Structure formats: C-alpha cells, structure tokens
Amino acid sequence: MSSEIQERSDIDQIPVAARPATTPPPRPQTWVLKLIMAVTGSVFVLFILFHLAGNLKVYLPDDPQGHFNEYAHWLRTLLNPLLPGSTFLWIFRATLVACLCLHVYSGLTLWIRAHRLRGRHARKVHATKHHLTGRTMLWSGLIILSFIVFHLLDLTIGRGVESKDFSTKAVYKLEGGEVVTDAYSNLVHSFQRPEVAIFYVVVMVVIAFHLSHGLWSVINDFGGTAPRTRTVFLFLADLVALIVVIGNASIPLAVLAGGISV
Amino acid sequence: MRLILEVWRQDGPDAEGSFETHEITDATPEMSLLELLDRLNHQLVENDQDPVAFESDCREGICGTCGLDVNGVPHGPEDNVPACGQHVRSFTDGQTVRFTPFRARSFPVVRDLIVDRTGLDRIIQAGGTISVDAGTAPDADTLLVTHDDAERALDFAACIGCGACVSACPNGAAYLYTGAKLAHLALIPHGKEERAKRARSMIAQMQHEFGPCSQIGECALACPAEIPLLAIAAVNRERLRAGFKWRKPN
C-alpha cells in the first residue's frame, strides 16, 4: 500500500524524455509572430481601403482628372504647414515599409516552422475555401510583394516598366492655379497597355484571396472566441476582399474598355 | 465485401518503412475500421506473418487511443468520428483502403501504425497543478459556476487527446488541442490563480514541438470530440491575457 503511494507520487518515475522542456521556446515565439502578422496585416487592410478610396476618384462624373490629381497632390503635401514638404508622406511610407518587413519576416519564419513540423505521409484535405486561400498565403503573399515593386516602378518612380508617356513633371494645372504631377494621365497610359491592365486585374484577385484569409486570421490571432464576432469577421473578410477586387480591378478594365481616358 | 488494404509497416522509429498490400475478401459493411485491421491480423497470423501493430482501447470513442490515418484522413473518411466508430460501409467493394500512422513530425512512429503522442502529454504537464483547498470538503456552492460556463467548459473538456487535430493540420499544429485545454480550464473557477502561468507554460511547451496555426480549419473537421474551431483562438486569447498580467516577483 505504502509502496504504491510512493510510486505514484515519485516524479522521478517519469522518463526524462516525457517531461516538459526546460529551455525557452523558439524565439520569436510563434504567437508573437502571429500577432505581428495580424497587426501589420490590419495596417495593410486599412491602407488598401484608403488607397481604394483615392483610386475611385477616377469615376467621379465631373472632372475626374482634376479630382484625382488634386488628391495625389494632397497626399504628397498632407499636414503641410505642420510638417514641411513631403515629410508626412515619407513617415507614411516608412511605416508601411516597416510593416512590410515585419509581415514578410514573420510569414516566412512561420512558414519554415510549419514546414519542418508536417509529417511525411500524403494528406487528403477537405475542399474548403480556407484551404484554397489559407494554404496559398505564402504564394499569394510573394505575388503581392513582387506586384508592389512593379506598381512602384510603374506609377510612382517610373523606371523600367512605366508607360512611354509617364512623367513626374508638374504639368497639370489645378483649379487653384497650382501646377502638379499628372498622376491621372500616368495611370491611364499605363492601363492602356492590355498586358499591364490584365496583370493588375489578376493581382487584385490574388490580393482578394490573401485578404479574405488574412482578415479571418486576424480575429483568431487577436484571440476572438465569441462565436458572433467570428461569424461577423468571416463575413467582413470576404466583403472587404470583394470590395477591393471590384473597386480596384474595374479601373484597368474601364481604361481598356475606353470608359476612362485622358 | 472485398477490400485491398495498403498498410504502412515500419519496424521502429528509425526504420525506413514501406507499404504492404493485403486483400480482405470477407469484410462486412458493419465492421469498424479497427475490426477490419483485426481481421487482417487474423489473416496474417494464420499465414505465419507479423500482425500489424495499431492502438485501440475502449472502441466506443471515449479513450482517444485509436489513431491512424485512413486514405490520408485522420480516423477515417467520416468527419468528427474516431476510427473505432467508422465503418467499412464507407467504402465500396473492391476499393483500396490505405492505412498510415498519424502524420506529424511531432508524432514519431513507434511501430507500424502506432505513433508516440507524448508531445501532447508534455503540454498538459507543462500546465502544472492548480491551487485547491485540500482540507475538508468545502461547503456546497462555495465555488459558483453558471450553467452556461459549465456547459461550455464541458464542451472543451470533451477533448479525448487523440491527436487527430495535429495529424489533420498541414502545419502539424496542436492549437485545437491546447486551446481546448486552456479554454476548458479558463471557464471554471478552479485553478483561476494559475490561469496566466498555465497559459504561458503550456503555449511555450506547445511551440517546442508543434507548428503554427494557419486558421485552415482542418483540425475541427477531424476532431472526434467536435471541439469547435474557436478553440484555436483561445490559445492566443489566453496568451495575450497572460501577457497583460503582472508577473509575481521571483
């Protein structure tokens, strides 16, 4: 009787291998990386919606070119009396680049960890939406990353892939008399190249996939366990993805169709 | 019913391992998948061959001992049913059925279809003990638990620890398992004192051996205890909460 109690209470009976590790977990911890992805990803979602609102000015019925160029100019000179020149724009850009670096670093680290820990045998999976979007996050992410580079070279910097009519010179006269860059014409000239327009449309679909799974992950990474909140987020994730793809992809299509021109 | 069984054979953790093909001619639709393996083993023994090693215990879906992948799906083709509760009637006559051990780097093969799932036990061990009054029995209703909380805690406590969630996960993550344990204990007043510490150490231990979660949801479709997918969010919820808790000075 007493020996039985002794045996049960004796922690040394447990083989060493079966005890919890005494070393700290791999750093940065997985949950921290996931949280970084959620926070930086949310920043991108807000940025994309902000960007979309600006893009949609091309659809304004009355003088879209003026409105679009005015908006582009406003963006460059935001908070101007307080911060001189394009200071705010550069703070904005630096934040986005920092978020991008953190997002890509976390994503790749998690991907490597996940790959190391999957087993050897083949797996048959359920044909769910989350499989299509969730398991392709790395690839859609890499496509988006290369798109960002292309998009900057095409419409911001104008080097390598820009249209032959691209110009960063201040040539457009705003209503107020200020002469600014004609961002609107740059956009139209770029999208008048069919292969570029189609590339933009395809990438928007990829972004929608990435967004729809990303926003769903956000609620999980922030620890949202309330069933109703989760359902709402599941719906929101698809809604935002749909808005982004319809709003953005329609612009190159409209240019191709001749609905938007200089 | 005639079935072709492709069974993974592996002598030990470090052995190479390969598939072995056998034919069962007298399978019946009402046989469970474990009984199908029993039938195969009878046949193997009759022919002086080594029987296939696989785990099973209660055979009524509550022990969590059985665990194998059937045609690449944990436990078998039906969702949310343990292997012992899945039947040969899911297959058609003459179909090939492939048995493989649970798939995860964290579950090394012991032999044939038996895997070492002590990684899950180490997560539980890391959780440690809880402070309870070990004296005389407390008065009734000194620890109040609402009916809803009790029900939800029991839903999470339904986890039988079989490891199907890990095998189902493309990343080999144990989020559903760890989340179920954490959520279960977080909903009841017992062990409230250790809630933050438990979350820190269990999640730290989980990260040692298991992968990150990608919110794909495959785990909840495999889980024989029907643990809801929101358990994966409970992991980060408990860990974030613990992060905001003041650590007691050492």
Coordinates of all heavy atoms in Angstrom, one line a residue, chain B residues 22-62:
Chain B
H22 N -2.5 -6.0 -48.8 CA -3.2 -7.3 -48.4 C -4.6 -7.2 -49.0 O -5.1 -6.1 -49.1 CB -3.2 -7.5 -46.9 CG -1.9 -7.7 -46.3 ND1 -1.1 -8.8 -46.4 CD2 -1.1 -6.8 -45.6 CE1 0.0 -8.7 -45.8 NE2 0.1 -7.4 -45.3
E23 N -5.2 -8.4 -49.1 CA -6.6 -8.4 -49.6 C -7.4 -9.1 -48.6 O -7.1 -10.1 -48.0 CB -6.6 -9.2 -50.9 CG -7.9 -9.0 -51.6 CD -8.0 -9.8 -52.9 OE1 -7.0 -10.0 -53.5 OE2 -9.1 -10.2 -53.3
I24 N -8.5 -8.4 -48.3 CA -9.5 -9.0 -47.3 C -10.7 -9.3 -48.2 O -11.3 -8.5 -48.8 CB -9.9 -8.0 -46.2 CG1 -8.7 -7.6 -45.4 CG2 -11.0 -8.5 -45.4 CD1 -8.4 -8.5 -44.3
T25 N -11.1 -10.6 -48.1 CA -12.3 -11.0 -49.0 C -13.6 -11.0 -48.2 O -14.7 -11.0 -48.8 CB -12.0 -12.3 -49.7 OG1 -11.5 -13.2 -48.6 CG2 -11.0 -12.2 -50.8
D26 N -13.5 -11.2 -46.9 CA -14.7 -11.4 -46.1 C -15.1 -10.2 -45.2 O -15.6 -10.4 -44.1 CB -14.7 -12.7 -45.3 CG -13.4 -12.7 -44.5 OD1 -12.6 -11.8 -44.6 OD2 -13.3 -13.7 -43.7
A27 N -14.8 -9.0 -45.6 CA -15.1 -7.8 -44.8 C -16.6 -7.6 -44.9 O -17.3 -7.9 -45.9 CB -14.4 -6.5 -45.4
T28 N -17.2 -7.1 -43.8 CA -18.7 -6.9 -43.8 C -18.9 -5.4 -43.6 O -18.1 -4.7 -42.9 CB -19.4 -7.7 -42.8 OG1 -18.8 -7.4 -41.5 CG2 -19.4 -9.2 -43.1
P29 N -20.0 -4.8 -44.1 CA -20.2 -3.3 -44.0 C -20.2 -2.8 -42.6 O -19.9 -1.7 -42.3 CB -21.6 -3.1 -44.7 CG -21.8 -4.3 -45.6 CD -21.0 -5.5 -44.9
E30 N -20.7 -3.7 -41.6 CA -20.9 -3.2 -40.3 C -19.6 -3.2 -39.4 O -19.6 -2.8 -38.3 CB -22.0 -3.9 -39.6 CG -21.8 -5.4 -39.3 CD -22.1 -6.3 -40.5 OE1 -22.4 -5.7 -41.6 OE2 -22.1 -7.5 -40.3
M31 N -18.5 -3.8 -40.0 CA -17.3 -3.9 -39.3 C -16.7 -2.4 -39.1 O -16.8 -1.6 -40.0 CB -16.2 -4.6 -40.2 CG -16.1 -6.0 -40.0 SD -14.7 -6.6 -41.1 CE -14.7 -8.3 -40.7
S32 N -16.1 -2.2 -37.9 CA -15.5 -0.9 -37.7 C -14.1 -1.0 -38.4 O -13.6 -2.1 -38.7 CB -15.3 -0.6 -36.3 OG -14.3 -1.3 -35.7
L33 N -13.4 0.1 -38.6 CA -12.1 0.1 -39.2 C -11.1 -0.7 -38.4 O -10.2 -1.3 -38.9 CB -11.6 1.5 -39.5 CG -12.5 2.3 -40.5 CD1 -11.8 3.7 -40.8 CD2 -12.7 1.6 -41.8
L34 N -11.3 -0.6 -37.1 CA -10.4 -1.4 -36.2 C -10.6 -2.9 -36.3 O -9.7 -3.7 -36.3 CB -10.5 -0.9 -34.8 CG -10.2 0.5 -34.5 CD1 -10.4 0.9 -33.0 CD2 -8.8 0.9 -35.0
E35 N -11.9 -3.2 -36.5 CA -12.2 -4.7 -36.7 C -11.7 -5.1 -38.0 O -11.3 -6.3 -38.2 CB -13.7 -4.9 -36.6 CG -14.2 -4.9 -35.1 CD -15.7 -4.7 -35.0 OE1 -16.4 -4.3 -36.0 OE2 -16.2 -4.9 -33.9
L36 N -11.6 -4.2 -39.0 CA -11.1 -4.6 -40.3 C -9.6 -4.9 -40.1 O -9.1 -5.9 -40.7 CB -11.3 -3.4 -41.3 CG -10.8 -3.6 -42.7 CD1 -11.6 -4.7 -43.4 CD2 -10.9 -2.3 -43.5
L37 N -8.9 -4.1 -39.3 CA -7.5 -4.4 -39.0 C -7.3 -5.7 -38.2 O -6.4 -6.4 -38.4 CB -6.9 -3.2 -38.3 CG -6.6 -2.0 -39.2 CD1 -6.1 -0.8 -38.3 CD2 -5.5 -2.3 -40.2
D38 N -8.3 -5.9 -37.3 CA -8.3 -7.2 -36.5 C -8.4 -8.4 -37.5 O -7.6 -9.4 -37.4 CB -9.5 -7.2 -35.6 CG -9.3 -6.3 -34.4 OD1 -8.1 -6.0 -34.1 OD2 -10.3 -6.0 -33.7
R39 N -9.3 -8.2 -38.5 CA -9.5 -9.3 -39.4 C -8.2 -9.5 -40.2 O -7.8 -10.7 -40.5 CB -10.6 -8.9 -40.4 CG -11.0 -9.9 -41.4 CD -11.7 -11.1 -40.8 NE -11.6 -12.3 -41.6 CZ -10.6 -13.2 -41.5 NH1 -9.6 -13.0 -40.7 NH2 -10.5 -14.2 -42.3
L40 N -7.6 -8.4 -40.6 CA -6.3 -8.5 -41.3 C -5.2 -9.2 -40.5 O -4.5 -10.1 -41.0 CB -5.8 -7.1 -41.7 CG -4.4 -7.0 -42.3 CD1 -4.4 -7.7 -43.7 CD2 -3.9 -5.6 -42.4
N41 N -5.2 -8.9 -39.2 CA -4.2 -9.5 -38.3 C -4.4 -11.0 -38.2 O -3.5 -11.8 -38.1 CB -4.2 -8.8 -37.0 CG -3.4 -7.5 -37.0 OD1 -2.6 -7.3 -38.0 ND2 -3.5 -6.7 -36.0
H42 N -5.7 -11.4 -38.1 CA -6.0 -12.8 -38.0 C -5.4 -13.5 -39.2 O -4.8 -14.6 -39.1 CB -7.5 -13.1 -37.9 CG -8.1 -12.9 -36.6 ND1 -7.8 -13.8 -35.6 CD2 -8.9 -12.0 -36.0 CE1 -8.4 -13.5 -34.4 NE2 -9.1 -12.4 -34.7
Q43 N -5.7 -12.9 -40.4 CA -5.3 -13.5 -41.6 C -3.7 -13.6 -41.7 O -3.2 -14.6 -42.1 CB -5.8 -12.6 -42.7 CG -5.7 -13.2 -44.1 CD -6.4 -12.2 -45.1 OE1 -7.5 -11.8 -45.0 NE2 -5.6 -11.8 -46.1
L44 N -3.1 -12.5 -41.2 CA -1.6 -12.5 -41.2 C -1.0 -13.6 -40.3 O -0.1 -14.3 -40.7 CB -1.1 -11.1 -40.7 CG -1.3 -10.0 -41.7 CD1 -0.9 -8.7 -41.1 CD2 -0.5 -10.2 -43.0
V45 N -1.7 -13.7 -39.1 CA -1.2 -14.7 -38.1 C -1.4 -16.1 -38.7 O -0.5 -17.0 -38.6 CB -1.9 -14.6 -36.8 CG1 -1.5 -15.7 -35.8 CG2 -1.5 -13.2 -36.1
E46 N -2.5 -16.3 -39.3 CA -2.8 -17.6 -39.9 C -1.7 -18.0 -41.0 O -1.4 -19.1 -41.2 CB -4.2 -17.6 -40.6 CG -5.3 -18.0 -39.6 CD -6.7 -17.6 -40.2 OE1 -6.8 -17.5 -41.5 OE2 -7.6 -17.4 -39.4
N47 N -1.2 -17.0 -41.7 CA -0.2 -17.2 -42.7 C 1.2 -17.0 -42.2 O 2.1 -16.8 -42.9 CB -0.4 -16.2 -43.9 CG -1.8 -16.5 -44.5 OD1 -2.3 -17.6 -44.5 ND2 -2.3 -15.4 -45.2
D48 N 1.3 -17.1 -40.8 CA 2.7 -17.0 -40.2 C 3.4 -15.7 -40.5 O 4.6 -15.6 -40.6 CB 3.6 -18.2 -40.6 CG 3.2 -19.4 -39.8 OD1 2.6 -19.3 -38.7 OD2 3.5 -20.5 -40.3
Q49 N 2.6 -14.6 -40.6 CA 3.2 -13.3 -40.8 C 3.0 -12.5 -39.5 O 2.2 -12.7 -38.7 CB 2.6 -12.6 -42.0 CG 3.0 -13.2 -43.3 CD 2.2 -12.6 -44.5 OE1 1.0 -12.8 -44.6 NE2 2.9 -11.8 -45.3
D50 N 3.8 -11.4 -39.4 CA 3.7 -10.5 -38.3 C 2.4 -9.7 -38.4 O 2.1 -9.1 -39.4 CB 4.9 -9.5 -38.3 CG 6.0 -10.0 -37.4 OD1 5.8 -11.0 -36.7 OD2 7.1 -9.5 -37.5
P51 N 1.6 -9.6 -37.3 CA 0.4 -8.8 -37.3 C 0.8 -7.3 -37.3 O 1.9 -6.9 -36.9 CB -0.3 -9.1 -36.1 CG 0.7 -9.7 -35.1 CD 1.7 -10.3 -36.0
V52 N -0.1 -6.5 -37.9 CA 0.1 -5.0 -37.9 C -0.1 -4.5 -36.5 O -1.1 -4.8 -35.8 CB -0.9 -4.4 -38.9 CG1 -0.8 -2.9 -38.9 CG2 -0.8 -4.9 -40.3
A53 N 0.8 -3.6 -36.1 CA 0.7 -3.0 -34.8 C -0.2 -1.8 -34.9 O 0.1 -0.9 -35.7 CB 2.1 -2.7 -34.2
F54 N -1.2 -1.7 -34.1 CA -2.1 -0.5 -34.1 C -2.6 -0.4 -32.7 O -2.7 -1.3 -31.9 CB -3.1 -0.5 -35.2 CG -4.2 -1.5 -35.0 CD1 -5.4 -1.1 -34.4 CD2 -4.1 -2.8 -35.4 CE1 -6.5 -2.1 -34.2 CE2 -5.1 -3.7 -35.2 CZ -6.3 -3.4 -34.6
E55 N -3.0 0.9 -32.3 CA -3.5 1.1 -31.0 C -5.0 1.1 -30.9 O -5.7 1.7 -31.8 CB -3.0 2.5 -30.5 CG -1.6 2.4 -30.0 CD -1.2 3.7 -29.3 OE1 -0.9 4.7 -30.1 OE2 -1.1 3.7 -28.1
S56 N -5.6 0.6 -29.9 CA -7.0 0.8 -29.6 C -7.3 0.4 -28.2 O -6.5 -0.3 -27.6 CB -7.8 -0.2 -30.5 OG -7.8 -1.5 -30.1
D57 N -8.4 0.9 -27.6 CA -8.7 0.5 -26.3 C -10.2 0.4 -26.1 O -10.7 -0.7 -26.2 CB -8.1 1.5 -25.3 CG -8.2 1.0 -23.8 OD1 -8.4 -0.2 -23.6 OD2 -8.0 1.9 -22.9
C58 N -10.9 1.5 -25.9 CA -12.3 1.3 -25.5 C -13.2 1.0 -26.7 O -14.2 0.3 -26.5 CB -12.8 2.6 -24.9 SG -13.1 4.0 -26.0
R59 N -12.8 1.3 -27.8 CA -13.6 1.1 -29.1 C -15.0 1.7 -29.0 O -16.0 1.1 -29.6 CB -13.6 -0.4 -29.4 CG -12.2 -0.9 -29.6 CD -12.2 -2.0 -30.6 NE -10.8 -2.4 -30.8 CZ -10.4 -3.2 -31.8 NH1 -11.3 -3.7 -32.6 NH2 -9.1 -3.5 -31.9
E60 N -15.2 2.7 -28.2 CA -16.5 3.4 -28.2 C -16.3 4.9 -28.2 O -17.2 5.6 -27.8 CB -17.4 2.9 -27.0 CG -16.7 3.0 -25.7 CD -17.6 2.5 -24.5 OE1 -18.5 1.7 -24.8 OE2 -17.4 2.9 -23.4
G61 N -15.2 5.3 -28.6 CA -15.0 6.7 -28.9 C -14.7 7.6 -27.8 O -14.9 8.8 -27.9
I62 N -14.3 7.1 -26.6 CA -14.0 8.0 -25.5 C -12.6 8.0 -25.0 O -12.2 8.8 -24.2 CB -15.0 7.8 -24.3 CG1 -15.0 6.3 -23.9 CG2 -16.4 8.3 -24.6 CD1 -15.6 6.1 -22.5

